[in-house]
Amino acid sequence: MKERIANLYNEDNNIAYKTLLELEAITAESNELYSYFKDLLELLNNEKTFVRVRGFRLICCLAKWDNENKINKNIDIILKELEDEKGTSVRQCLEKLNLILMYKIELTDIIENKVRNLDLSKYKESMQSLIKKDIDYILEHL
């Protein structure tokens, strides 16, 4: 598992993305990755956007297994990724946010507040409208 997590940092985006999809599939079936939560949280500190997004996505996938409330304890750090400079990254994160909302109902108000107050002005107008649509979808399904 450590090797797979290390692959999330791989310079070859194809390898890293393939690993991400494998790990997401594993988290759908088991809590095998949950003991590596700290390693995934560490991904959020990386200078590379794609590495941070991979960490965010996997943390969202772990919401279902979070019986120790690790997500709750780190929610501010996790949600910080929604402020990324790259709109495409924000959209990927917003897409996975529903997993936290589904399994961590107690975080609904914090997440709702965060997505309602995101500053979209830093993105191109075309990207702003797409992110807005993603946010609206999340808010409609709260």
Side-chain angles (χ1 to χ4, degrees):
M1 196 56 81
K2 279 277 192 198
E3 193 177 305
R4 283 183 169 159
I5 291 171
N7 263 343
L8 295 170
Y9 291 93
N10 200 307
E11 291 293 321
D12 182 334
N13 198 41
N14 291 329
I15 292 171
Y17 188 70
K18 184 175 179 255
T19 302
L20 171 65
L21 296 179
E22 288 170 8
L23 291 173
E24 284 181 338
I26 289 169
T27 60
E29 302 298 320
S30 82
N31 68 348
E32 187 180 350
L33 197 58
Y34 187 65
S35 60
Y36 297 91
F37 185 90
K38 192 174 177 185
D39 298 299
L40 300 178
L41 198 60
E42 192 60 39
L43 290 166
L44 298 179
N45 293 324
N46 196 277
E47 63 189 31
K48 294 191 171 107
T49 297
F50 292 125
V51 173
R52 292 193 308 270
V53 169
R54 291 174 198 135
F56 184 96
R57 287 176 56 163
L58 287 168
I59 288 169
C60 289
C61 290
L62 288 177
K64 149 185 199 176
W65 308 107
D66 188 21
N67 56 353
E68 296 174 33
N69 289 325
K70 293 178 182 181
I71 291 175
N72 305 48
K73 293 171 189 159
N74 294 285
I75 193 66
D76 293 334
I77 296 164
I78 295 165
L79 293 179
K80 187 112 178 83
E81 194 51 37
L82 295 175
E83 299 169 16
D84 198 90
E85 295 302 314
K86 294 187 174 147
T88 53
S89 299
V90 173
R91 294 197 70 211
Q92 277 194 58
C93 293
L94 287 169
E95 183 186 332
K96 292 292 181 182
L97 207 51
N98 68 320
L99 293 171
I100 293 179
L101 289 164
M102 190 183 315
Y103 293 106
K104 309 294 278 174
I105 295 159
E106 67 276 14
L107 296 176
T108 300
D109 290 347
I110 293 168
I111 292 171
E112 179 182 2
N113 187 45
K114 181 69 174 186
V115 297
R116 280 191 190 281
N117 293 300
L118 287 176
D119 176 16
L120 304 184
S121 66
K122 59 184 158 191
Y123 309 112
K124 290 182 192 165
E125 213 168 291
S126 57
M127 185 56 73
Q128 282 182 30
S129 63
L130 292 171
I131 294 172
K132 176 89 172 84
K133 205 181 282 186
D134 295 338
I135 290 170
D136 290 345
Y137 181 83
I138 289 169
L139 295 174
E140 283 170 24
H141 293 87
L142 288 178

